[in-house]
Each structure stands twice: as C-alpha cells, then as structure tokens.
Amino acid sequence: KTINDAVGLNDLVLANKNVALTGSIADIKLALDGITGYTGAIKLTDSSIDATELADINALTTGKITLPANGHADLTGNVTDVTKALQGVTGYKGTVTVTVGANTTLAQLKTITNSTVNKAKFDTVNPATTVATTLEGTAKEITAVLNKFSTQYDGKLTVTGKYTLAELRDLDKALGASTGVVTLDNDVNLSGKSADIAAALSNVVGYAGKITLTDKPTLAQLVTINAATTEAIKIPNNKALTGTAANII
C-alpha cells in the first residue's frame, strides 16, 4: 500500500504475484491498484464485510480469500453476482439467498454452497420455476448441492451419466416436496422395491429403461411409476388391485 501510494497508479510491477496479503479491504484494494494477474492468498481483517466488497476483492485475485471470524453480512442476489462475491471464499457465515436465473449452472451453486457455513436459500419470491433454466449434473452432484440448501428447488433438472436406484432415491429426498421436473439422460434399468422405485421416479418424466419390481406394489405406487416411464413394468406374481377404474386402466 505504501509503495503503491508513492509510485502512483499503473507504475508498479509486482515481481512475486502470489505473495500473501493481510489487511482491510480498503488497504488491499489500494495495495493491488494497477496490478494485474495477482494470484496470492488474501486474509481480510475487517469487522464487517458485504457482497459488493467481496466481489471487489475477488476481482483482484484468483487466490484463496480468508475472512475474519465474524461480521459476515447476509448476501441476497442473483446466482451470478453471489458466485462472483464468494469465489475463493471459505467459511462465510452470513445467510445467503439466491435468485436462479436463465443461465444458472450447478457449478455456480456448488461454488456458493462450498463457501458458506450455513445452508443457503433459494429466493421464494422468484422461484426457479419462473425461469427457463435446467441444472445439469450427475445424480450425486445434484443431490450434494441441493442438500446444502434449506429451501427446495422447483426448477428443472437433468441427470447426466450413469446412476443407481439408491442415487435417484437420495435425489428424491433432496428434492423433498419439490415440483421440479427431472429428466434422465441415460435410461439405466432399475430393479428394486416398489416404494423405492416409485419415490425415485416421482419427479421423473420420459424414463425409458426397464423396471423390475421385487415386491408387490400398491396401486398408488404403480400410478407413480407408470407416469414416469414409457416402458412395461415387470411385476412379480399377480396381485389384485383396488382403486378407481381410471387408475387401474
């Protein structure tokens, strides 16, 4: 900072661009003014920090940013802006509320949740169902991210790669009461108990894999499974079904 003040803007060449810096946001910004390509770690000492200030620091370095123990303001904004603010940050203790946009990615949500101590929230005022976005990733990846949110995600999801029945069941638990629609890129054959398969496919549409039930399903379970698949369902033995004609047919 002192050197930068003395030589003026754009005159300073930093020989070691990964040297670690410790100080307030104001001092760090002054110290790095006019310097490009800085990759060092930054430790902030401010008593309070907000999203705009974090975004400013993130723009100055690609290195790790360490925050003071307390004084983390709550962050609210679109996913892109909040991601920029929390890039490289760990241990953020403020409440983070994000609005999903048309270009939101699973990677952005992962960056946000990996940076925070507390679970993040989706903005319920502008839910994900109101925008044309689809989060893509493996069943495990999507589940891991959604489990770090305290509110449900109601947008569209595409599961890529292979998956197991257990992984789809975990994804269903992470979705909770969500109305989000899940598309499976690969039609992996599923075999298991009727309750597990019905739960795993409860938000799924267009599934075309083979389904083998290992126990006798209820009518409600069959209705759920049938709504998710275009293929025949293999049921062990025969069992009488009770229900309305529309559901049985």
Side-chain angles (χ1 to χ4, degrees):
K1 175 182 178 292
T2 301
I3 296 174
N4 217 330
D5 287 345
V7 300
L9 299 178
N10 303 319
D11 295 325
L12 179 62
V13 176
L14 193 63
N16 183 1
K17 291 190 176 182
N18 65 353
V19 61
L21 297 176
T22 299
S24 68
I25 290 174
D27 285 348
I28 296 291
K29 289 171 70 174
L30 284 173
L32 294 177
D33 198 358
I35 295 173
T36 59
Y38 176 70
T39 59
I42 292 176
K43 183 176 182 179
L44 300 175
T45 59
D46 301 81
S47 59
S48 64
I49 295 174
D50 63 29
T52 301
E53 292 169 331
L54 271 181
D56 289 343
I57 294 299
N58 260 307
L60 298 175
T61 183
T62 56
K64 179 181 178 181
I65 299 172
T66 302
L67 305 177
N70 298 300
H72 306 175
D74 293 344
L75 303 183
T76 300
N78 65 62
V79 170
T80 299
D81 290 343
V82 174
T83 301
K84 289 178 180 178
L86 293 178
Q87 188 76 43
V89 173
T90 56
Y92 192 80
K93 296 179 181 178
T95 299
V96 177
T97 304
V98 296
T99 301
V100 174
N103 297 314
T104 294
T105 66
L106 188 68
Q108 289 176 319
L109 296 182
K110 184 176 181 180
T111 294
I112 292 170
T113 55
N114 284 348
S115 300
T116 60
V117 173
N118 303 313
K119 286 189 174 183
K121 297 179 180 180
F122 290 112
D123 181 10
T124 55
V125 176
N126 184 12
T129 48
T130 64
V131 295
T133 185
T134 300
L135 297 182
E136 296 187 4
T138 67
K140 279 187 175 181
E141 290 170 341
I142 296 173
T143 300
V145 168
L146 294 184
N147 277 336
K148 292 183 179 180
F149 279 86
S150 61
T151 52
Q152 71 187 36
Y153 175 77
D154 288 324
K156 293 178 288 186
L157 299 170
T158 296
V159 174
T160 59
K162 300 294 183 180
Y163 49 82
T164 65
L165 176 60
E167 289 170 353
L168 288 185
R169 190 70 178 89
D170 288 341
L171 176 57
D172 172 70
K173 292 177 182 177
L175 285 169
S178 169
T179 57
V181 176
V182 179
T183 302
L184 307 176
D185 262 2
N186 295 284
D187 294 315
V188 177
N189 296 335
L190 297 176
S191 176
K193 293 182 178 180
S194 303
D196 289 335
I197 292 181
L201 298 180
S202 61
N203 288 72
V204 173
V205 294
Y207 172 73
K210 294 181 180 179
I211 296 176
T212 300
L213 303 181
T214 58
D215 62 357
K216 296 177 181 178
T218 65
L219 179 60
Q221 289 166 345
L222 274 181
V223 169
T224 298
I225 295 169
N226 259 316
T229 183
T230 58
E231 297 297 310
I233 303 169
K234 184 177 181 181
I235 304 173
N237 306 318
N238 293 320
K239 180 186 178 184
L241 298 175
T242 301
T244 66
N247 280 339
I248 294 176
I249 294 173

